[in-house]
Coordinates of all heavy atoms in Angstrom, one line a residue:
N1 N 24.9 31.4 107.3 CA 25.9 31.7 106.3 C 25.6 33.0 105.6 O 24.5 33.4 105.5 CB 26.0 30.6 105.3 CG 26.4 29.2 105.9 OD1 27.0 29.2 106.9 ND2 26.2 28.2 105.2
G2 N 26.7 33.6 105.2 CA 26.5 34.9 104.5 C 27.9 35.4 104.1 O 28.9 34.7 104.2
F3 N 27.9 36.6 103.7 CA 29.1 37.2 103.3 C 29.9 37.8 104.4 O 29.3 38.3 105.4 CB 28.8 38.4 102.3 CG 28.1 38.0 101.0 CD1 26.8 38.2 100.8 CD2 28.9 37.4 100.0 CE1 26.2 37.9 99.6 CE2 28.3 37.0 98.8 CZ 26.9 37.3 98.6
T4 N 31.2 37.6 104.4 CA 32.0 38.2 105.5 C 32.6 39.5 105.0 O 33.0 40.3 105.8 CB 33.2 37.2 105.9 OG1 33.9 36.9 104.7 CG2 32.6 35.9 106.5
E5 N 32.8 39.6 103.7 CA 33.3 40.9 103.1 C 32.4 41.3 101.9 O 32.1 40.5 101.1 CB 34.7 40.7 102.6 CG 35.7 40.4 103.8 CD 37.1 40.2 103.3 OE1 37.3 40.2 102.1 OE2 38.0 40.1 104.1
V6 N 32.1 42.5 101.9 CA 31.3 43.0 100.8 C 31.8 44.4 100.3 O 32.2 45.2 101.1 CB 29.8 43.2 101.2 CG1 29.0 43.8 100.1 CG2 29.2 41.9 101.7
A7 N 31.9 44.6 99.0 CA 32.3 45.8 98.4 C 31.3 46.2 97.4 O 30.7 45.3 96.7 CB 33.7 45.7 97.8
V8 N 31.0 47.5 97.3 CA 30.1 48.0 96.2 C 30.9 48.8 95.3 O 31.5 49.8 95.8 CB 28.9 48.8 96.8 CG1 28.0 49.3 95.7 CG2 28.1 47.9 97.7
F9 N 30.8 48.5 94.0 CA 31.6 49.3 93.0 C 30.6 49.8 92.0 O 30.1 49.1 91.2 CB 32.7 48.4 92.4 CG 33.5 49.2 91.3 CD1 34.4 50.1 91.7 CD2 33.2 48.9 90.0 CE1 35.2 50.8 90.7 CE2 34.0 49.6 89.0 CZ 34.9 50.5 89.4
W10 N 30.2 51.1 92.1 CA 29.4 51.7 91.1 C 30.4 52.3 90.1 O 31.0 53.3 90.3 CB 28.5 52.8 91.7 CG 27.5 52.3 92.6 CD1 27.6 52.1 93.9 CD2 26.2 51.9 92.2 NE1 26.4 51.6 94.4 CE2 25.5 51.5 93.4 CE3 25.5 51.8 91.0 CZ2 24.2 51.0 93.4 CZ3 24.2 51.3 91.1 CH2 23.6 50.9 92.2
D11 N 30.4 51.6 88.9 CA 31.5 51.9 87.9 C 31.6 53.4 87.7 O 32.7 54.0 88.0 CB 31.1 51.2 86.6 CG 32.1 51.3 85.5 OD1 33.1 52.1 85.7 OD2 32.0 50.7 84.5
W12 N 30.6 54.1 87.3 CA 30.8 55.5 87.0 C 31.1 56.4 88.2 O 31.8 57.3 88.2 CB 29.5 56.0 86.3 CG 29.7 57.3 85.6 CD1 30.2 57.5 84.3 CD2 29.5 58.6 86.1 NE1 30.3 58.8 84.0 CE2 29.9 59.6 85.1 CE3 29.1 59.1 87.3 CZ2 29.8 60.9 85.3 CZ3 29.0 60.5 87.5 CH2 29.4 61.4 86.5
A13 N 30.5 56.0 89.3 CA 30.6 56.9 90.5 C 31.8 56.6 91.4 O 32.2 57.4 92.2 CB 29.3 56.8 91.3
S14 N 32.4 55.4 91.2 CA 33.5 55.0 92.0 C 34.8 55.5 91.7 O 35.8 55.6 92.5 CB 33.6 53.5 92.1 OG 32.4 53.0 92.8
L15 N 35.0 56.0 90.4 CA 36.3 56.5 90.0 C 36.1 58.0 89.6 O 35.0 58.4 89.2 CB 36.8 55.7 88.8 CG 37.0 54.3 89.0 CD1 37.4 53.6 87.7 CD2 38.1 54.0 90.0
S16 N 37.1 58.8 89.7 CA 37.1 60.2 89.4 C 36.7 60.3 87.9 O 37.4 59.8 87.0 CB 38.4 60.9 89.6 OG 38.7 60.9 91.0
Q17 N 35.6 61.0 87.6 CA 35.2 61.2 86.3 C 35.5 62.6 85.8 O 35.7 63.5 86.6 CB 33.7 61.0 86.2 CG 33.3 59.6 86.6 CD 33.8 58.5 85.6 OE1 33.9 58.7 84.4 NE2 34.3 57.4 86.2
K18 N 35.4 62.8 84.5 CA 35.6 64.2 84.0 C 34.3 64.9 84.3 O 33.2 64.3 84.6 CB 35.7 64.1 82.4 CG 37.0 63.4 82.0 CD 37.0 63.2 80.5 CE 38.2 62.3 80.2 NZ 38.0 61.6 79.0
D19 N 34.4 66.2 84.3 CA 33.2 67.1 84.7 C 32.1 66.9 83.7 O 32.2 67.4 82.6 CB 33.7 68.5 84.8 CG 32.6 69.5 85.3 OD1 31.4 69.1 85.4 OD2 32.9 70.6 85.6
P20 N 31.0 66.3 84.1 CA 29.9 66.1 83.2 C 29.2 67.4 82.7 O 28.6 67.4 81.6 CB 28.9 65.2 84.0 CG 29.2 65.5 85.4 CD 30.7 65.8 85.5
T21 N 29.4 68.5 83.4 CA 28.8 69.7 82.9 C 29.5 70.3 81.7 O 29.0 71.1 81.0 CB 28.7 70.8 84.1 OG1 30.1 71.1 84.4 CG2 28.0 70.3 85.3
L22 N 30.7 69.8 81.5 CA 31.6 70.2 80.4 C 31.4 69.4 79.1 O 31.9 69.7 78.1 CB 33.0 70.3 80.7 CG 33.4 71.2 81.9 CD1 34.9 71.1 82.2 CD2 33.1 72.7 81.5
W23 N 30.7 68.2 79.3 CA 30.5 67.3 78.1 C 29.6 68.0 77.1 O 28.6 68.6 77.4 CB 29.9 66.0 78.6 CG 29.8 65.0 77.5 CD1 30.8 64.1 77.1 CD2 28.8 64.8 76.5 NE1 30.5 63.4 76.0 CE2 29.2 63.8 75.6 CE3 27.6 65.4 76.3 CZ2 28.4 63.4 74.6 CZ3 26.8 65.0 75.2 CH2 27.2 64.0 74.4
R24 N 30.0 67.8 75.8 CA 29.2 68.3 74.7 C 29.2 67.1 73.7 O 30.1 66.3 73.6 CB 29.8 69.5 74.1 CG 30.0 70.7 75.0 CD 28.6 71.3 75.3 NE 28.7 72.5 76.2 CZ 28.7 72.5 77.5 NH1 28.7 71.3 78.1 NH2 28.8 73.6 78.2
P25 N 28.2 67.1 72.8 CA 28.2 66.0 71.8 C 29.5 65.9 70.9 O 29.8 64.8 70.5 CB 27.0 66.4 70.9 CG 26.1 67.1 71.8 CD 27.0 67.9 72.7
C26 N 30.2 67.0 70.8 CA 31.4 67.0 70.0 C 32.5 66.2 70.7 O 33.5 65.8 70.0 CB 31.9 68.4 69.7 SG 32.3 69.4 71.1
C27 N 32.3 65.9 72.0 CA 33.3 65.1 72.7 C 33.4 63.7 72.2 O 34.4 63.0 72.4 CB 33.0 65.1 74.2 SG 33.2 66.7 75.0
V28 N 32.4 63.2 71.4 CA 32.5 61.8 70.9 C 32.6 61.8 69.3 O 32.5 60.8 68.7 CB 31.2 61.0 71.3 CG1 31.3 60.8 72.8 CG2 29.9 61.7 70.9
K29 N 32.7 63.0 68.8 CA 32.8 63.2 67.3 C 34.3 63.0 66.9 O 35.2 63.3 67.7 CB 32.3 64.5 66.9 CG 32.1 64.8 65.4 CD 31.3 66.0 65.2 CE 32.1 67.3 65.1 NZ 31.4 68.5 64.7
D30 N 34.5 62.5 65.7 CA 35.9 62.3 65.2 C 36.6 63.6 65.3 O 36.1 64.7 64.8 CB 35.9 61.8 63.7 CG 35.5 60.4 63.6 OD1 35.6 59.6 64.6 OD2 35.0 60.0 62.6
A31 N 37.8 63.6 65.8 CA 38.6 64.8 66.1 C 38.9 65.6 64.8 O 38.8 66.8 64.8 CB 40.0 64.4 66.7
E32 N 39.0 64.9 63.7 CA 39.3 65.7 62.4 C 38.1 66.5 61.9 O 38.2 67.3 61.1 CB 39.8 64.8 61.3 CG 38.9 63.7 60.9 CD 39.1 62.4 61.6 OE1 39.9 62.3 62.5 OE2 38.4 61.4 61.2
L33 N 36.9 66.2 62.5 CA 35.7 66.9 62.1 C 35.4 68.1 63.0 O 34.4 68.8 62.8 CB 34.5 66.0 62.1 CG 34.6 64.8 61.2 CD1 33.4 63.8 61.4 CD2 34.7 65.2 59.7
H34 N 36.2 68.3 64.1 CA 36.0 69.4 65.0 C 36.3 70.7 64.5 O 37.3 70.9 63.7 CB 36.9 69.2 66.3 CG 36.4 68.1 67.2 ND1 37.3 67.4 68.0 CD2 35.2 67.5 67.3 CE1 36.6 66.5 68.7 NE2 35.4 66.5 68.3
T35 N 35.5 71.7 64.8 CA 35.8 73.1 64.5 C 36.8 73.5 65.6 O 37.1 72.8 66.6 CB 34.6 74.0 64.6 OG1 34.1 74.0 66.0 CG2 33.5 73.5 63.7
E36 N 37.4 74.7 65.5 CA 38.3 75.2 66.5 C 37.6 75.4 67.8 O 38.2 75.0 68.9 CB 38.9 76.6 66.0 CG 40.1 77.0 66.7 CD 41.3 76.0 66.5 OE1 41.5 75.5 65.4 OE2 42.0 75.8 67.4
E37 N 36.4 75.9 67.8 CA 35.6 76.0 69.1 C 35.4 74.7 69.7 O 35.5 74.5 70.9 CB 34.3 76.7 68.8 CG 33.5 76.9 70.0 CD 32.1 77.6 69.7 OE1 31.9 77.9 68.6 OE2 31.3 77.6 70.6
E38 N 35.0 73.6 68.9 CA 34.8 72.3 69.4 C 36.1 71.7 70.0 O 36.0 71.1 71.1 CB 34.2 71.4 68.4 CG 32.8 71.7 68.0 CD 32.3 70.9 66.9 OE1 33.1 70.5 66.0 OE2 31.1 70.6 66.8
R39 N 37.2 71.9 69.4 CA 38.5 71.4 69.9 C 38.8 72.0 71.3 O 39.2 71.3 72.2 CB 39.6 71.8 68.9 CG 40.0 70.7 68.0 CD 41.3 70.9 67.3 NE 41.3 72.0 66.3 CZ 40.7 71.8 65.1 NH1 40.2 70.7 64.7 NH2 40.7 72.8 64.2
A40 N 38.5 73.3 71.5 CA 38.7 73.9 72.8 C 37.7 73.3 73.8 O 38.2 73.1 74.9 CB 38.4 75.4 72.7
L41 N 36.5 73.1 73.4 CA 35.5 72.5 74.4 C 36.0 71.0 74.8 O 35.9 70.7 75.9 CB 34.1 72.4 73.7 CG 33.4 73.8 73.6 CD1 32.2 73.6 72.7 CD2 33.1 74.4 74.9
V42 N 36.4 70.3 73.8 CA 36.8 68.9 74.0 C 38.1 68.9 75.0 O 38.2 68.1 75.9 CB 37.1 68.2 72.7 CG1 37.8 66.8 73.0 CG2 35.8 68.0 71.9
T43 N 39.0 69.8 74.7 CA 40.2 69.9 75.5 C 39.8 70.3 77.0 O 40.3 69.6 77.9 CB 41.2 71.0 75.0 OG1 41.6 70.5 73.7 CG2 42.4 71.1 75.8
Q44 N 38.9 71.2 77.1 CA 38.5 71.6 78.5 C 37.9 70.4 79.2 O 38.1 70.2 80.4 CB 37.5 72.8 78.4 CG 37.1 73.3 79.7 CD 36.1 74.5 79.6 OE1 35.5 74.7 78.5 NE2 36.0 75.2 80.6
Y45 N 37.0 69.7 78.5 CA 36.4 68.5 79.1 C 37.4 67.5 79.5 O 37.4 67.0 80.6 CB 35.4 67.9 78.1 CG 34.8 66.6 78.5 CD1 33.9 66.6 79.6 CD2 35.0 65.4 77.9 CE1 33.3 65.4 80.0 CE2 34.4 64.2 78.3 CZ 33.6 64.2 79.4 OH 33.0 63.0 79.8
H46 N 38.3 67.1 78.6 CA 39.3 66.1 78.9 C 40.3 66.5 80.0 O 40.9 65.7 80.7 CB 40.1 65.7 77.6 CG 39.3 64.9 76.7 ND1 38.8 63.6 77.1 CD2 38.8 65.1 75.5 CE1 38.1 63.1 76.1 NE2 38.1 64.0 75.1
Q47 N 40.5 67.8 80.2 CA 41.4 68.3 81.2 C 40.7 68.6 82.5 O 41.3 69.1 83.5 CB 42.2 69.5 80.7 CG 43.1 69.2 79.6 CD 43.8 70.4 79.1 OE1 43.4 71.6 79.3 NE2 44.8 70.2 78.3
S48 N 39.4 68.3 82.7 CA 38.6 68.6 83.9 C 39.0 67.7 85.1 O 38.5 68.0 86.2 CB 37.1 68.6 83.6 OG 36.7 67.3 83.2
R49 N 39.7 66.6 84.8 CA 40.2 65.8 85.9 C 41.6 66.3 86.3 O 42.3 66.6 85.4 CB 40.3 64.3 85.4 CG 39.4 63.4 86.1 CD 39.8 62.0 85.7 NE 38.8 61.4 84.9 CZ 39.0 60.5 84.0 NH1 40.1 59.9 83.8 NH2 38.0 60.1 83.2
S50 N 41.9 66.3 87.6 CA 43.2 66.7 88.0 C 44.2 65.6 87.6 O 43.8 64.5 87.3 CB 43.3 66.9 89.5 OG 43.2 65.7 90.2
E51 N 45.5 66.0 87.6 CA 46.5 65.0 87.3 C 46.5 63.8 88.2 O 46.6 62.6 87.8 CB 47.9 65.7 87.3 CG 49.0 64.9 86.7 CD 50.3 65.7 86.6 OE1 50.3 66.8 86.2 OE2 51.3 65.1 87.0
K52 N 46.3 64.0 89.5 CA 46.2 63.0 90.5 C 44.9 62.1 90.2 O 45.0 60.9 90.4 CB 46.2 63.6 91.9 CG 46.4 62.6 93.0 CD 46.7 63.3 94.3 CE 47.2 62.2 95.3 NZ 47.8 62.8 96.4
E53 N 43.8 62.7 89.9 CA 42.6 62.0 89.6 C 42.8 61.1 88.4 O 42.4 59.9 88.3 CB 41.4 62.9 89.4 CG 40.9 63.6 90.7 CD 39.9 64.7 90.4 OE1 39.9 65.3 89.3 OE2 39.1 64.9 91.3
T54 N 43.4 61.7 87.3 CA 43.7 60.9 86.1 C 44.6 59.7 86.4 O 44.4 58.6 85.9 CB 44.3 61.8 85.0 OG1 43.4 62.9 84.8 CG2 44.6 61.1 83.8
E55 N 45.6 59.9 87.2 CA 46.5 58.9 87.6 C 45.8 57.7 88.3 O 46.0 56.6 88.0 CB 47.6 59.4 88.5 CG 48.7 58.5 88.9 CD 49.7 59.1 89.8 OE1 50.2 60.3 89.5 OE2 50.1 58.5 90.8
G56 N 44.9 58.1 89.2 CA 44.1 57.1 90.0 C 43.2 56.4 89.0 O 43.0 55.2 89.1
F57 N 42.5 57.1 88.1 CA 41.6 56.5 87.2 C 42.3 55.5 86.3 O 41.8 54.4 86.1 CB 41.0 57.6 86.3 CG 39.9 57.1 85.4 CD1 38.6 57.0 85.7 CD2 40.3 56.8 84.1 CE1 37.7 56.5 84.8 CE2 39.4 56.3 83.2 CZ 38.0 56.1 83.6
R58 N 43.4 55.9 85.8 CA 44.2 55.0 84.9 C 44.7 53.7 85.7 O 44.7 52.6 85.1 CB 45.4 55.7 84.3 CG 44.9 56.7 83.2 CD 46.1 57.2 82.4 NE 45.6 58.1 81.4 CZ 46.2 59.2 81.0 NH1 47.3 59.7 81.6 NH2 45.6 60.0 80.1
Y59 N 45.1 53.9 86.9 CA 45.6 52.8 87.7 C 44.4 51.8 87.9 O 44.6 50.6 87.7 CB 46.1 53.3 89.0 CG 46.6 52.1 89.9 CD1 47.8 51.5 89.7 CD2 45.7 51.5 90.8 CE1 48.2 50.4 90.5 CE2 46.1 50.4 91.6 CZ 47.4 49.9 91.4 OH 47.7 48.8 92.1
A60 N 43.3 52.3 88.3 CA 42.1 51.5 88.5 C 41.7 50.8 87.2 O 41.4 49.6 87.3 CB 40.9 52.3 89.1
L61 N 41.7 51.5 86.2 CA 41.3 50.9 84.9 C 42.2 49.8 84.4 O 41.8 48.8 84.0 CB 41.2 52.1 83.8 CG 40.6 51.7 82.5 CD1 39.1 51.4 82.6 CD2 40.8 52.9 81.5
H62 N 43.5 50.0 84.5 CA 44.5 49.1 84.0 C 45.0 48.0 85.0 O 45.5 47.0 84.6 CB 45.7 49.8 83.4 CG 45.3 50.7 82.2 ND1 44.9 50.2 81.0 CD2 45.2 52.0 82.1 CE1 44.6 51.2 80.2 NE2 44.7 52.3 80.8
Q63 N 44.8 48.3 86.3 CA 45.4 47.4 87.3 C 44.4 46.6 88.1 O 44.7 45.7 88.8 CB 46.3 48.2 88.2 CG 47.4 48.9 87.6 CD 48.4 48.0 86.8 OE1 48.7 46.9 87.3 NE2 48.9 48.5 85.7
T64 N 43.1 47.1 88.1 CA 42.2 46.5 89.0 C 40.8 46.0 88.4 O 40.0 45.4 89.1 CB 41.8 47.4 90.2 OG1 41.0 48.5 89.8 CG2 43.1 47.9 90.9
M65 N 40.6 46.4 87.2 CA 39.2 46.1 86.6 C 39.0 44.6 86.5 O 37.8 44.2 86.6 CB 39.1 46.7 85.2 CG 38.8 48.1 85.2 SD 37.2 48.6 85.9 CE 37.8 49.7 87.1
D66 N 40.0 43.8 86.3 CA 39.8 42.3 86.3 C 39.3 41.8 87.6 O 38.5 40.9 87.7 CB 41.1 41.6 85.9 CG 42.2 41.9 86.9 OD1 42.3 43.0 87.4 OD2 43.1 41.0 87.1
L67 N 39.6 42.5 88.7 CA 39.1 42.1 90.0 C 37.6 42.4 90.2 O 36.8 41.6 90.7 CB 39.8 42.8 91.2 CG 41.3 42.5 91.3 CD1 41.9 43.4 92.3 CD2 41.6 41.1 91.6
W68 N 37.2 43.5 89.6 CA 35.8 44.0 89.8 C 34.9 43.2 88.8 O 33.7 42.9 89.1 CB 35.7 45.5 89.6 CG 36.4 46.2 90.6 CD1 37.6 46.9 90.5 CD2 36.0 46.4 92.0 NE1 37.9 47.5 91.6 CE2 37.0 47.2 92.6 CE3 34.9 46.0 92.7 CZ2 36.9 47.6 93.9 CZ3 34.9 46.3 94.1 CH2 35.9 47.1 94.6
Y69 N 35.3 42.9 87.6 CA 34.4 42.4 86.6 C 34.6 40.9 86.3 O 33.8 40.3 85.7 CB 34.6 43.2 85.3 CG 34.1 44.6 85.4 CD1 34.9 45.6 85.6 CD2 32.7 44.8 85.4 CE1 34.4 46.9 85.7 CE2 32.2 46.1 85.6 CZ 33.0 47.1 85.7 OH 32.5 48.4 85.8
A70 N 35.8 40.3 86.7 CA 36.0 38.9 86.4 C 36.2 38.0 87.6 O 36.4 36.8 87.4 CB 37.2 38.8 85.5
H71 N 36.2 38.6 88.8 CA 36.3 37.7 90.0 C 35.1 36.8 90.1 O 34.0 37.2 89.9 CB 36.5 38.6 91.2 CG 36.9 37.9 92.4 ND1 36.0 37.2 93.2 CD2 38.1 37.7 93.0 CE1 36.6 36.6 94.2 NE2 37.9 36.9 94.1
Q72 N 35.4 35.6 90.6 CA 34.4 34.5 90.7 C 33.3 34.9 91.7 O 32.2 34.4 91.6 CB 34.9 33.2 91.0 CG 35.6 33.2 92.4 CD 36.3 31.8 92.7 OE1 36.3 30.9 91.8 NE2 36.9 31.7 93.8
G73 N 33.6 35.8 92.6 CA 32.6 36.3 93.6 C 31.8 37.5 93.2 O 31.1 38.1 94.0
T74 N 32.0 38.0 92.0 CA 31.4 39.2 91.5 C 29.9 38.9 91.0 O 29.8 38.0 90.2 CB 32.2 39.9 90.4 OG1 33.4 40.2 90.9 CG2 31.5 41.1 89.9
F75 N 29.0 39.7 91.5 CA 27.6 39.6 90.9 C 27.4 40.9 90.2 O 27.7 42.0 90.7 CB 26.6 39.5 92.1 CG 26.7 38.2 92.8 CD1 27.5 38.1 93.9 CD2 26.0 37.1 92.4 CE1 27.6 36.9 94.6 CE2 26.1 35.9 93.1 CZ 26.9 35.8 94.2
V76 N 26.8 40.9 89.0 CA 26.5 42.0 88.2 C 25.0 42.1 88.0 O 24.4 41.2 87.6 CB 27.2 42.0 86.9 CG1 26.9 43.2 86.0 CG2 28.7 41.9 87.1
Y77 N 24.5 43.3 88.4 CA 23.0 43.5 88.1 C 22.9 44.6 87.0 O 23.6 45.6 87.0 CB 22.4 44.1 89.4 CG 22.4 43.0 90.5 CD1 23.4 43.0 91.4 CD2 21.4 42.1 90.6 CE1 23.4 42.1 92.4 CE2 21.4 41.1 91.6 CZ 22.4 41.1 92.5 OH 22.5 40.2 93.5
K78 N 22.0 44.3 86.1 CA 21.9 45.1 84.9 C 20.5 45.7 84.9 O 19.5 44.9 84.9 CB 22.2 44.3 83.6 CG 22.1 45.1 82.4 CD 22.5 44.2 81.2 CE 22.6 44.9 79.9 NZ 22.9 44.0 78.8
L79 N 20.3 47.0 84.9 CA 19.0 47.6 84.8 C 18.6 47.7 83.4 O 19.3 48.3 82.6 CB 19.1 49.0 85.4 CG 17.8 49.8 85.4 CD1 16.8 49.2 86.4 CD2 18.1 51.2 85.9
T80 N 17.6 47.0 83.0 CA 17.2 46.9 81.6 C 15.9 47.7 81.3 O 15.6 48.0 80.2 CB 16.9 45.5 81.2 OG1 15.9 44.9 82.0 CG2 18.2 44.6 81.3
K81 N 15.2 48.2 82.4 CA 14.0 49.0 82.2 C 14.1 50.2 83.2 O 14.6 50.0 84.3 CB 12.7 48.2 82.5 CG 12.5 47.1 81.4 CD 11.2 46.5 81.7 CE 11.1 45.4 80.6 NZ 10.0 44.5 80.8
L82 N 13.7 51.3 82.8 CA 13.7 52.5 83.6 C 12.5 52.5 84.5 O 11.4 52.1 84.1 CB 13.9 53.8 82.8 CG 15.1 53.8 81.9 CD1 15.0 55.0 81.0 CD2 16.3 53.9 82.8
P83 N 12.6 53.1 85.7 CA 11.5 53.2 86.6 C 10.4 54.1 86.0 O 10.7 55.0 85.2 CB 12.0 53.8 87.9 CG 13.5 53.7 87.8 CD 13.8 53.6 86.3
K84 N 9.1 53.8 86.3 CA 8.0 54.6 85.9 C 8.3 56.1 86.3 O 8.7 56.3 87.4 CB 6.7 54.2 86.5 CG 6.2 52.9 85.9 CD 4.9 52.5 86.4 CE 4.4 51.2 85.8 NZ 3.1 50.8 86.3
G85 N 8.0 57.0 85.4 CA 8.2 58.4 85.7 C 9.6 58.9 85.4 O 9.8 60.1 85.4
C86 N 10.5 58.0 85.0 CA 11.9 58.5 84.7 C 11.8 59.2 83.4 O 11.2 58.8 82.4 CB 12.8 57.2 84.6 SG 14.5 57.7 84.2
E87 N 12.5 60.4 83.3 CA 12.4 61.2 82.2 C 13.5 60.9 81.1 O 13.4 61.4 80.0 CB 12.6 62.7 82.6 CG 11.4 63.2 83.4 CD 11.5 64.6 83.8 OE1 12.3 65.4 83.2 OE2 10.8 65.0 84.7
R88 N 14.4 60.1 81.5 CA 15.4 59.6 80.5 C 14.8 58.7 79.5 O 14.1 57.7 79.9 CB 16.6 59.0 81.2 CG 17.4 60.0 82.0 CD 18.5 59.3 82.7 NE 19.6 59.1 81.7 CZ 20.7 58.6 82.0 NH1 21.0 58.2 83.2 NH2 21.6 58.4 81.0
G89 N 15.1 58.8 78.2 CA 14.4 58.0 77.3 C 15.2 56.8 76.8 O 14.8 56.0 76.1
R90 N 16.5 56.7 77.2 CA 17.4 55.7 76.7 C 17.3 54.4 77.6 O 17.4 54.5 78.8 CB 18.8 56.2 76.7 CG 19.7 55.5 75.7 CD 20.9 56.3 75.5 NE 22.0 55.6 76.1 CZ 23.2 55.9 76.1 NH1 23.6 57.0 75.4 NH2 24.1 55.2 76.7
T91 N 17.2 53.3 77.0 CA 17.2 52.0 77.7 C 18.2 51.1 77.1 O 18.8 51.4 76.0 CB 15.8 51.3 77.7 OG1 15.5 51.0 76.3 CG2 14.7 52.2 78.3
V92 N 18.5 49.9 77.7 CA 19.4 48.9 77.2 C 18.6 47.8 76.6 O 17.7 47.3 77.2 CB 20.3 48.4 78.4 CG1 21.2 47.3 77.9 CG2 21.1 49.5 79.0
E93 N 19.0 47.4 75.4 CA 18.3 46.2 74.8 C 19.0 45.0 75.4 O 20.2 44.9 75.4 CB 18.5 46.3 73.3 CG 17.7 47.4 72.6 CD 17.8 47.3 71.1 OE1 18.0 46.2 70.6 OE2 17.6 48.4 70.5
V94 N 18.2 44.0 75.8 CA 18.7 42.8 76.4 C 19.0 41.8 75.3 O 18.2 41.6 74.4 CB 17.7 42.2 77.4 CG1 18.2 40.9 77.9 CG2 17.3 43.2 78.5
Q95 N 20.2 41.3 75.3 CA 20.6 40.3 74.3 C 20.8 39.0 75.0 O 21.5 38.9 76.0 CB 21.9 40.7 73.6 CG 21.8 42.0 72.9 CD 23.2 42.4 72.3 OE1 24.2 41.7 72.4 NE2 23.2 43.5 71.5
D96 N 20.1 38.0 74.4 CA 20.3 36.6 75.0 C 21.3 35.8 74.4 O 21.7 36.0 73.3 CB 18.9 35.9 74.9 CG 17.8 36.5 75.8 OD1 18.2 37.0 76.9 OD2 16.7 36.7 75.3

């Protein structure tokens, strides 16, 4: 016995994302606190996806997420500790 159909959905990598090289901390700051320069940076970041990519992203987000996250056959693996030698300092706190 085994699986007859398998799909892998890496959330961040499976859908067209905005250009990560354009991200700046001001992209998550309240818009009313932005300077003129920050507004320009945020606009550039948000417009880094093409119109077609944005359309596909929105469709996937609003029309298919229930299939990926709520289907009875979905298994979710959560990485709670980073591998030894990993330079990123951020981890996820596990809540029981």
Side-chain angles (χ1 to χ4, degrees):
N1 293 341
F3 295 106
T4 57
E5 294 180 355
V6 176
V8 176
F9 179 76
W10 291 92
D11 187 350
W12 195 87
S14 294
L15 300 174
S16 295
Q17 301 296 320
K18 297 171 188 155
D19 184 346
T21 64
L22 297 175
W23 187 89
R24 302 290 181 270
C26 62
C27 292
V28 293
K29 192 164 88 173
D30 288 336
E32 62 267 3
L33 302 176
H34 288 156
T35 65
E36 198 61 39
E37 181 183 352
E38 288 174 331
R39 263 193 288 284
L41 291 170
V42 170
T43 298
Q44 185 180 17
Y45 174 67
H46 286 297
Q47 292 177 347
S48 63
R49 242 189 253 155
S50 73
E51 194 173 312
K52 195 168 191 165
E53 289 170 332
T54 299
E55 184 181 316
F57 182 88
R58 286 188 179 141
Y59 179 84
L61 190 64
H62 297 289
Q63 303 297 325
T64 69
M65 283 296 125
D66 58 327
L67 298 175
W68 295 107
Y69 291 103
H71 190 277
Q72 64 185 1
T74 298
F75 294 90
V76 176
Y77 295 92
K78 184 176 181 181
L79 180 67
T80 59
K81 294 184 181 168
L82 298 173
K84 287 183 181 181
C86 181
E87 294 182 17
R88 295 180 72 177
R90 205 166 108 173
T91 60
V92 174
E93 291 184 27
V94 178
Q95 297 178 359
D96 294 319

